[in-house]
Amino acid sequence: MTNPASSASSLYDQIGGHEAFHQLTTEFYDRVAADPDFRALYPEDDLEPARERLEMFLEQYFGGPSTYGHRRGHPRLRMRHAPFAIDSWARETWLKYMRESMDTLHLPPLLDGMMWDYFERAARAMTNTPG
């Protein structure tokens, strides 16, 4: 049996390529849209641009196309999120919806764990407000 982490292909490919990241971000933003309290944290009337940005970012981060960098430059996640109050409730809600969205991908445990580790670390790093 081949260890997916030792394969020559990128995590992007192992996770399922563009289709998987499109599904992940669509599932995530469907959950955002269905939660009025959490949805209120997103300033744009249309969530599709935010979904596309997340999709491009995650694809690039996990070894796929560098479209995000070409279009938006360095991610600068903390700087881009600084204008928004992100407290523990926002972090935990974001993680809950991302976990539910990841579950729709039915990834092997190793790949799931690698992605989830990143999401947990990133969500903690974006927290900028007590509470």
Side-chain angles (χ1 to χ4, degrees), residues 53 56-57 60 65-75 80:
R53 289 189 300 270
M56 289 186 300
F57 171 77
Q60 180 173 307
S66 56
T67 309
Y68 184 94
H70 292 304
R71 290 190 186 168
R72 298 187 46 87
H74 189 282
R80 291 184 195 271

Side-chain angles (χ1 to χ4, degrees), residues 102-122:
M102 279 188 59
D103 288 346
T104 70
L105 298 178
H106 306 287
L107 295 173
L110 179 62
L111 295 177
D112 185 278
M114 293 169 82
M115 282 187 80
W116 188 244
D117 178 65
Y118 169 72
F119 289 137
E120 286 186 316
R121 287 183 292 111

Side-chain angles (χ1 to χ4, degrees), residues 41 76-92 94 120-131:
L41 300 179
R76 303 182 204 299
L77 290 180
R78 286 187 57 85
M79 181 193 78
R80 291 184 195 271
H81 289 83
F84 309 106
I86 302 171
D87 61 11
S88 61
W89 172 82
R91 179 187 66 234
E92 294 307 314
W94 190 94
E120 286 186 316
R121 287 183 292 111
R124 280 189 188 86
M126 295 305 106
T127 306
N128 59 17
T129 303

Side-chain angles (χ1 to χ4, degrees), residues 23-39 41-42 54 89-104 116 119:
Q23 178 180 334
L24 177 67
T25 57
T26 298
E27 291 281 346
F28 176 78
Y29 277 100
D30 284 352
R31 286 164 173 76
V32 171
D35 179 339
D37 293 330
F38 193 64
R39 172 65 179 89
L41 300 179
Y42 288 78
L54 180 60
W89 172 82
R91 179 187 66 234
E92 294 307 314
T93 303
W94 190 94
L95 284 168
K96 175 182 186 282
Y97 294 151
M98 187 54 72
R99 178 71 262 166
E100 291 172 0
S101 301
M102 279 188 59
D103 288 346
T104 70
W116 188 244
F119 289 137

